[in-house]
């Protein structure tokens, strides 16, 4: 029944029908994660990076009562400029679809849509997680519960630095979500390459990651996995410096009684201000890098599936 809500661009439909590698992309990063025009420039560039590395991009969003698997250029522009775009996670799907509103998909929502469409690879910036003081607020992202149940691999630069990374990793461990470090033994913290925490497994090639993905799902072990891909060294921010900035931003959020889904956009915008725009440059760089790695892994995964590895 869910298929009635899905529509595909011709490029994505052709790729899926012919078992070609496809990489899902979210729209929340376009509508709520970056300002215009950097958001639309980033969206188009990332799609091209995926094509250049042998896969097909499928940017996902909700419009006119449909989950769109792949967006046209004009639709991308709409997500980049329309101020009324809603932020959609698992709980929001029925309301946004039934009301016909326009909705940008979060990590969790993009995973759901990708899984419905038969896409196993997803590139994003950073995942959500357990918020700082989460033991008091119980503010835990739906991204984590989605990773526990939905068969999509997520290439990211770790969890967003504004989160409690230690508790986020503990939650993922409890839910049985493998955390793979791509060419790293340390879990990255979005803006920085370090976090002080390790990964479950280090893998250094797309082929190793693709084989692990195929093995996991062949075993019937449902749920996703994290492919933690550190931001390139040239674009990374200093871990201690960004930590100080984040603490300042968190204090301001608390003083202004900002809560729920408004927290992350507020904090990212405040961090951008406090770093004089450097955090936005880092954000764009890490998304580009994640798209490249995701495309290469998607190619390797498809090959592993075809070869029965």
């Amino acid at each position: 029944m869910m298929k009635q809500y899905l529509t595909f661009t011709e490029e994505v439909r052709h790729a899926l029908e012919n078992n070609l590698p496809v990489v899902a992309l979210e729209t929340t990063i376009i509508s709520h994660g970056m300002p215009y025009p950097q958001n639309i420039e980033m969206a188009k560039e990332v799609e091209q990076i995926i094509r250049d590395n042998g896969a097909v991009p499928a940017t996902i969003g909700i419009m006119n009562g449909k989950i769109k698997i792949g967006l046209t250029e004009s639709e991308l522009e709409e997500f980049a400029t329309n101020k009324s775009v809603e932020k959609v996670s698992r709980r929001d799907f029925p309301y946004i679809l039934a009301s016909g509103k326009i909705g940008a998909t979060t990590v969790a929502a993009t995973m759901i849509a990708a899984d419905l469409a038969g896409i196993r690879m997803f590139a994003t910036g950073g995942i959500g997680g357990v918020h700082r003081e989460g033991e008091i607020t119980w503010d835990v992202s739906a991204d984590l519960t989605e990773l526990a149940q939905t068969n999509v691999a997520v290439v990211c630069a770790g969890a967003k630095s504004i989160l409690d990374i230690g508790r986020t990793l503990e939650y993922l461990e409890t839910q049985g979500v493998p955390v793979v470090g791509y060419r790293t033994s340390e879990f990255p913290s979005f803006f920085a390459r370090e976090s002080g925490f390790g990964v479950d497994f280090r893998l250094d090639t797309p082929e190793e990651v693709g084989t692990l993905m195929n093995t996991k799902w062949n075993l019937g072990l449902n749920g996703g996995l994290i492919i933690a891909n550190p931001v390139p060294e040239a674009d990374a921010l200093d871990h201690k410096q960004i930590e100080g900035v984040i603490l300042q931003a968190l204090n301001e959020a608390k003083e202004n009684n900002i809560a729920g889904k408004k927290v992350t956009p507020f904090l990212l915008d405040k961090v951008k201000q406090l770093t004089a725009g450097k955090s936005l440059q880092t954000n764009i760089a890490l998304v580009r890098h994640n798209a490249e790695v995701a495309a290469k892994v998607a190619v390797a995964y498809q090959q592993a599936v075809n070869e029965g590895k």
Side-chain angles (χ1 to χ4, degrees):
M1 288 293 291
M2 236 354 242
K3 295 290 183 183
Q4 68 180 301
Y5 296 106
L6 301 180
T7 64
F8 300 81
T9 59
E10 192 52 44
E11 180 186 26
V12 174
R13 182 184 299 280
H14 175 266
L16 291 171
E17 288 177 351
N18 291 276
N19 296 318
L20 301 176
V22 181
V23 177
L25 298 163
E26 61 163 290
T27 36
T28 289
I29 195 171
I30 301 171
S31 298
H32 302 280
M34 292 184 189
Y36 186 85
Q38 289 95 334
N39 56 359
I40 187 66
E41 292 167 357
M42 177 276 304
K44 291 178 180 178
E45 185 179 4
V46 164
E47 286 196 346
Q48 192 57 50
I49 287 169
I50 289 169
R51 293 186 184 101
D52 291 344
N53 285 277
V56 172
T59 304
I60 293 172
I62 302 173
M63 302 178 85
N64 304 318
K66 297 290 184 181
I67 303 168
K68 291 186 168 283
I69 311 297
L71 298 177
T72 65
E73 192 166 328
S74 63
E75 288 168 344
L76 277 175
E77 191 77 29
E78 180 78 5
F79 276 98
T81 56
N82 189 328
K83 298 297 183 184
S84 64
V85 176
E86 303 266 355
K87 190 175 178 182
V88 179
S89 191
R90 171 175 277 267
R91 70 174 181 186
D92 310 300
F93 261 110
Y95 169 70
I96 299 299
L97 284 169
S99 65
K101 292 188 175 185
I102 181 169
T105 53
T106 61
V107 169
T110 306
M111 288 181 71
I112 292 168
D115 187 42
L116 290 170
I119 299 169
R120 295 286 166 249
M121 177 58 60
F122 167 33
T124 187
I127 61 164
V130 180
H131 279 257
R132 302 189 191 207
E133 298 187 351
E135 72 278 14
I136 299 169
T137 64
W138 286 77
D139 192 345
V140 180
S141 172
D143 296 355
L144 300 187
T145 48
E146 208 59 52
L147 278 158
Q149 62 185 320
T150 302
N151 296 355
V152 174
V154 182
V155 178
C156 60
K160 295 182 178 73
S161 305
I162 57 177
L163 302 171
D164 186 322
I165 291 177
R167 285 189 170 94
T168 297
L169 290 170
E170 287 288 351
Y171 192 105
L172 289 169
E173 180 186 9
T174 299
Q175 295 296 327
V177 178
V179 177
V180 176
Y182 187 71
R183 298 179 180 173
T184 181
S185 298
E186 182 166 2
F187 189 73
S189 58
F190 197 65
F191 295 121
R193 293 174 62 85
E194 313 85 17
S195 68
F197 297 93
V199 296
D200 298 326
F201 319 104
R202 173 177 175 151
L203 298 177
D204 293 331
T205 68
E207 291 73 23
E208 288 176 304
V209 180
T211 300
L212 183 146
M213 289 166 56
N214 196 39
T215 302
K216 179 184 192 300
W217 293 322
N218 279 344
L219 288 167
L221 296 174
N222 288 328
L225 63 152
I226 297 293
I227 302 164
N229 180 44
V231 60
E233 284 188 43
D235 303 292
L237 299 181
D238 179 77
H239 183 236
K240 290 182 179 177
Q241 182 182 9
I242 197 68
E243 180 66 14
V245 167
I246 288 165
L247 289 174
Q248 184 177 339
L250 285 164
N251 286 334
E252 290 194 33
K254 190 180 292 186
E255 289 168 5
N256 288 285
N257 296 315
I258 293 167
K261 62 170 68 176
K262 295 180 180 179
V263 171
T264 297
F266 173 85
L267 292 175
L268 292 177
D269 186 60
K270 183 58 64 175
V271 169
K272 186 184 76 172
Q273 291 177 30
L274 295 173
T275 60
K278 289 181 182 177
S279 65
L280 177 58
Q281 296 171 24
T282 299
N283 197 348
I284 293 170
L286 65 85
V287 172
R288 286 194 199 113
H289 192 216
N290 290 343
E292 178 186 345
V293 169
K296 291 177 177 176
V297 173
V299 170
Y301 169 69
Q302 193 61 53
Q303 185 175 357
V305 170
N306 294 342
E307 295 175 356
K309 288 186 177 179

